[in-house]
Amino acid sequence: MTNRRKLVAGNWKMNGLGASLSEIDALIAAQPYPTCDVIICPPATLIAQLNWRVQHNKSTIKIGGQDCHDENSGAHTGDISAAMLKDAGASHVILGHSERRADHGETDALIRAKTETAFAASLIAIICVGEIESQRDGGETLNVVAAQLAASLPDQANATNTIIAYEPGWAIGTGRTPTLNEIAEVHDFLRGKLTSRFSDGDKFRILYGGSVKPGNAAEIFAVSNVDGGLVGGASLKAADFGPIVAAAGA
Ligand code: PGA
């Protein structure tokens, strides 16, 4: 069995002002994380400040953006490019989050194009897939995630430049989570899809996301083919995020 290093990524979404970065201090103080990678994805406005804090403290914490445009530069008012994220200090970028798919109508084809741009800027892509509630209820979950995975990942994807996150839309920010068996079913299925398409498919890390909390993180991270978590609400406070990171290292 391939030994994949656990990873916990905090997605701050549209939350956080400069003062919020003090929450990172406790995480920095708790480092190093010998058995787990930690990524913080703050709003773009905080990436450079967070980068300064991380560098200043020689922290191993990595920084991610939450989205990027599919072009390198140009007349796209209000958008941000992969190269800009990289320049500000990010090493990763979340792409295809369900909130982007829903709020901005992002398609798999667009997510694939964004991923190619992220690779060109030497960013590691965290690509999200997941069904919405009606699809889960209709028994379509595996078909939905298979289609998203197939169409969102470019052929250049590999276990070094790409991380997958399975996030059922109905579990995000709701406090509801799938059962451990349901999580295992999807993660095992995604693993099969990755290994059949990519020669290093057994090495991709597959994160679970959706209402991960200190109280459920350890049991979720112990599930087959779950290599860590993508954490939203519970990543905003060190008192919640710290124990989740610790659960990945347990
Ligand atoms: P949540 O969000 O942890 O607040 O459910 C997860 C995510 O959307 O990445």
Side-chain angles (χ1 to χ4, degrees), residues 11 13 94 97-99 128 167 171-175 209-212 230-235:
N11 173 14
K13 309 191 180 185
I94 299 170
H97 190 280
S98 62
E99 287 153 15
C128 303
E167 297 207 314
I172 293 176
T174 60
S211 296
V212 175
L230 180 55
V231 184
S235 72

Side-chain angles (χ1 to χ4, degrees), residues 119-140:
F119 290 168
S122 302
L123 289 179
I124 297 170
I126 304 173
I127 300 179
C128 303
V129 299
E131 81 286 1
I132 59 173
E133 188 162 24
S134 60
Q135 293 166 330
R136 162 72 55 178
D137 292 344
E140 299 166 49

Side-chain angles (χ1 to χ4, degrees), residues 27-33 50-62:
L27 294 171
I28 289 175
Q31 69 177 345
Y33 302 108
L50 178 55
N51 185 43
W52 183 87
R53 231 167 168 113
V54 163
Q55 299 294 329
H56 183 73
N57 290 287
K58 299 188 173 25
S59 172
T60 57
I61 291 174
K62 302 270 192 310

Side-chain angles (χ1 to χ4, degrees), residues 10 19 35 38 44 50 70 82 92 94 112 123 133 137-138 145 166 176 180-181 188 207 210 214 227-229 247:
T35 62
V38 178
L50 178 55
D70 62 320
H92 293 69
I94 299 170
R112 183 186 186 119
L123 289 179
E133 188 162 24
D137 292 344
V145 297
Y166 167 57
R176 296 169 53 205
L180 299 180
N181 282 341
D188 290 350
L207 311 180
D227 303 306

